Amino acid sequence: MKSLKTIGALGKVAGTVLEGGKYAKTLECLREEGKTEDEIAFIYELEQYWSGEVLDRFGWKAEVEGAENLPGSGPVVVISNHQSYVDIPAIMNVMPFQVGFVAKAELGKIPVFSKWITRTRGLLIDRGDARSSLKTISEGAELVKQGFSMCIFPEGTRSRGPVPGEFKAGSLKLATKARCPVLPVTISGTYRLYEETGNIRENQSFRVVIHPVMETAGLSRKELAELPKKVEEIIISEL
């Protein structure tokens, strides 16, 4: 059973999401009016606010390495390992541009968080349904073509520890379908903030390593087939 302290902490996180919900109408208007650049800029501001609030409230700090590899703007597809729930606000906070997340379908059952995901141009993916997963990846690729940056975790779920799970090669199609640059990211130590004990640990730090951008445009079929393994090796090299 979660401790009262942890339940209270999760309430704080939900509270920050609800605060961001005040701007839902603005996002909806920008989307309906087709003001894509303004929508991207507004989502970025919201993500910086929300992620900053979450990290600050718990005293969590990202020790960023390779910041010089960050592109100044999108669209890019961020590919990262996945240790913890904290990974999403961590990546949002570090990136200098808007990022929409491809999240597991189960999160769509949580009213507050599901709205946040879709409003920030994130997508929900049912990895147990191959046809549905492919459709979601195609939708994500279309968003990238429109100028939205996306992030996907090839493991499909949290590893809850330092050893990563199996990387699904199909996740890279999000970038290759859109011929968009890939930004590999290694996250290390976020599992210690919650998953390791089942209780939230405050005032902790973790590593976020930004690797050089990898282009996908112009790659041969052979190079595209080899790309997922290369990205996986790069990410794992810093664990």
Side-chain angles (χ1 to χ4, degrees):
M1 182 179 292
K2 292 184 177 69
S3 69
L4 291 176
K5 181 179 179 181
T6 297
I7 293 172
L10 293 175
K12 289 182 183 179
V13 175
T16 60
V17 174
L18 287 170
E19 288 172 23
K22 293 186 296 185
Y23 304 99
K25 288 186 178 179
T26 301
L27 280 175
E28 289 169 4
C29 287
L30 291 173
R31 185 178 299 192
E32 289 172 2
E33 294 170 8
K35 296 181 178 178
T36 303
E37 291 186 6
D38 291 339
E39 182 186 353
I40 290 171
F42 196 72
I43 290 174
Y44 172 66
E45 291 179 12
L46 282 180
E47 290 182 335
Q48 285 294 297
Y49 163 75
W50 179 72
S51 62
E53 282 288 301
V54 171
L55 297 183
D56 287 346
R57 289 191 185 196
F58 300 110
W60 293 332
K61 181 180 179 182
E63 296 177 350
V64 182
E65 300 174 21
E68 67 277 6
N69 294 320
L70 283 168
S73 61
V76 300
V77 173
V78 178
I79 305 290
S80 174
N81 64 306
H82 194 18
Q83 296 185 344
S84 167
Y85 286 127
V86 182
D87 298 342
I88 291 178
I91 289 175
M92 280 184 182
N93 194 252
V94 169
M95 295 299 146
F97 44 78
Q98 161 275 338
V99 184
F101 286 79
V102 179
K104 60 184 180 181
E106 289 80 359
L107 291 180
K109 299 175 182 177
I110 306 175
V112 174
F113 292 98
S114 63
K115 289 290 187 182
W116 172 263
I117 291 168
T118 55
R119 282 173 182 156
T120 55
R121 289 293 191 168
L123 297 169
L124 296 168
I125 188 168
D126 182 359
R127 294 186 183 274
D129 185 329
R131 181 176 294 181
S132 175
S133 294
L134 183 59
K135 182 175 182 289
T136 301
I137 292 295
S138 295
E139 290 173 359
E142 287 302 314
L143 285 173
V144 173
K145 290 178 182 178
Q146 293 174 37
F148 295 92
S149 291
M150 302 292 292
C151 175
I152 190 167
F153 302 111
E155 294 161 272
T157 190
R158 294 166 294 147
S159 63
R160 297 179 175 85
V163 180
E166 178 188 358
F167 276 48
K168 278 73 171 179
S171 299
L172 268 292
K173 290 182 180 178
L174 183 62
T176 57
K177 277 179 172 287
R179 290 293 190 264
C180 175
V182 168
L183 180 63
V185 172
T186 303
I187 293 180
S188 180
T190 51
Y191 70 91
R192 298 192 184 98
L193 309 184
Y194 173 68
E195 281 76 5
E196 188 172 54
T197 64
N199 290 297
I200 289 177
R201 289 176 173 172
E202 299 183 14
N203 304 312
Q204 302 289 316
S205 62
F206 55 90
R207 291 172 68 229
V208 178
V209 183
I210 312 297
H211 301 280
V213 167
M214 302 174 71
E215 297 292 339
T216 64
L219 294 182
S220 66
R221 287 186 178 181
K222 183 173 184 283
E223 290 170 326
L224 287 172
E226 295 171 346
L227 185 62
K229 188 62 177 177
K230 286 184 177 180
V231 172
E232 179 181 1
E233 290 173 349
I234 288 170
I235 292 171
I236 291 177
S237 70
E238 287 291 341
L239 285 176

